[in-house]
Amino acid sequence: MAFEQSAKKNFPHWPIWDDDDIKAVTDVVKSGKWWIGAPAVHKGENAWKLEEEFAKFHEAKHCLCAANGTVTLEACLGAFGVGLGDEVIVSDYTFVATGTAVVASNAVPIFCDIDPETLVMDVDKVEKLITPRTKAIIPVHLGGNPVAMDHLMEIADKHNLKVIEDCAHAHGSRFKGKRVGNWGHCGSFSQQASKVLTSGEGGLITCNDDKLATDIYSYIDAGRHIGDYFYAHYSYGSNFRISEFNAAVCRAQLKKFPVQHKIRNEHAKYLTEKLNEIDGVRAMKLTPGTEESGWYVFPVVFDLKKFKNIKVREIFKKMNDAGIPTDDCYPPLHGLALFKDVKLKKGIDYSKANWGGAKSADKNFPVVTDIYKRSIEFPQEMLLADPDKLDWVVDFIKKLK
Ligand SMILES: *Cc1c(COP(=O)(O)O)cnc(C)c1O
């Protein structure tokens, strides 16, 4: 196939930008207003407009922007008063920030194993992890695949726990009639360079409670109140503000998002059907009730026995050598050096964590350990490729047998 010769350059590259993005940045440069400004003065600039536009798009009452999708988690935890002596249940299969945001708040993350088919937090395992110290849960919509939020909220409500949805992969995801980020008490989004909505760096928080929105704002902006005097500081808050440059690019990208999102959803459905026809290959299953997914990544799980017991690293290498954009999956958090060796914060008691030393043994997290050993993932931009290229990828995988 001619396509095979030059596969690499035939797959879309990310980010996708045009003159609107250039204009967005130059307009900020020329305006001389490079930061979001004092809360009482600059309303109407890019950061504030981005909040309005994203709130509308994600069907939330409030949206607050911040510097990235790590500090958004920290701000939500801070607004809930999560701190010393508290525990927060997080998925074991996620980017490290979901766990370290909890560490930053002086609380202890508790890792929850995943469902072998949907690859997101196994909600049935959450209740066993709840202790009198548990204050919050952070479900992660991995690859845009929503956690079963109806079920999770029942558990959270029963135990009076706060829920922060980590939506870093899930811009545009919709579950049972509601966009993600509206099921829990708040939703945290990342606009880092690889994400489906990007401005290089950036974060957004959605919520539907007026008081919570005010508290989160204060945490992001030095303990200030929106509309109030610049040097009035009412509570502890950091500087997690986004810059006007990032906000302006994010607004330009948000305009392009709906078309890309639709293509990713259509192509993911197509690719899932094709891959699942191969004996020994399984695409991530969307949680029943999912209507749209952000599709930040497209995980593929192999039954390696059906592939002559090839190592997953070998599959990864062959695909990359052939020019197929292929990524590593996240190593489960319980095995990362910082958690296993407990290289964390001074003075905090981590002894009741369900990780660290012998407790970090893979056998204690059997599902995620097994899945991680036999998975690869495609980055979201591959889903923007034409279907004939996706066919070519499917054929390539068939030939690995
Ligand atoms: C990217 C990511 C984050 C952190 O976002 P940054 O903007 O890079 O700080 C948090 N959680 C998950 C699941 C992510 O993928």
Side-chain angles (χ1 to χ4, degrees), residues 22 33 46 53 59 64 73 112 200 222 224 249 251-252 255 288 291 324 332 349-350 361 379:
I22 296 171
K33 292 174 183 163
N46 283 290
E53 289 159 5
E59 299 163 13
L64 298 149
L73 292 168
C112 184
R224 295 183 172 113
V249 174
R251 291 181 67 206
K255 292 206 180 75
E291 291 149 0
I324 299 169
D349 177 10
Y350 296 108

Side-chain angles (χ1 to χ4, degrees), residues 90-127:
V90 308
S91 175
D92 194 38
Y93 205 31
T94 179
F95 180 61
V96 68
T98 318
T100 51
V102 177
V103 175
S105 72
N106 293 327
V108 178
I110 300 292
F111 302 138
C112 184
D113 207 347
I114 59 167
D115 177 278
E117 295 196 326
T118 62
L119 313 184
V120 294
M121 171 183 263
D122 185 342
V123 177
D124 289 331
K125 292 195 176 129
V126 168
E127 213 157 11

Side-chain angles (χ1 to χ4, degrees), residues 3 108 151 166 175 309 318 340:
F3 174 58
V108 178
H151 186 186
D166 187 339
F175 176 71
N309 282 315
K318 282 183 193 235
K340 207 169 147 205

Side-chain angles (χ1 to χ4, degrees), residues 64-206:
L64 298 149
C65 50
N68 58 64
T70 302
V71 296
T72 47
L73 292 168
E74 292 178 25
C76 295
L77 289 162
F80 289 133
V82 170
L84 197 65
D86 295 338
E87 291 176 358
V88 179
I89 298 169
V90 308
S91 175
D92 194 38
Y93 205 31
T94 179
F95 180 61
V96 68
T98 318
T100 51
V102 177
V103 175
S105 72
N106 293 327
V108 178
I110 300 292
F111 302 138
C112 184
D113 207 347
I114 59 167
D115 177 278
E117 295 196 326
T118 62
L119 313 184
V120 294
M121 171 183 263
D122 185 342
V123 177
D124 289 331
K125 292 195 176 129
V126 168
E127 213 157 11
K128 281 202 294 286
L129 299 173
I130 296 174
T131 74
R133 296 177 295 278
T134 310
K135 282 285 150 52
I137 306 172
I138 309 183
V140 181
H141 307 307
L142 185 95
N145 193 13
V147 172
M149 290 306 297
D150 47 351
H151 186 186
L152 184 69
M153 290 315 292
E154 276 169 29
I155 295 170
D157 290 344
K158 187 171 140 199
H159 296 271
N160 197 21
L161 304 175
K162 300 296 182 195
V163 174
I164 302 163
E165 293 174 66
D166 187 339
C167 306
H169 300 188
H171 311 68
S173 289
R174 186 189 292 282
F175 176 71
K176 297 193 175 175
K178 228 195 267 189
R179 286 242 194 262
V180 299
N182 296 306
W183 282 92
H185 298 90
C186 52
S188 162
F189 297 77
S190 163
Q191 284 76 249
Q192 177 268 338
S194 63
K195 304 288 157 85
V196 288
L197 175 68
T198 185
S199 47
E201 300 281 3
L204 289 159
I205 297 167
T206 53

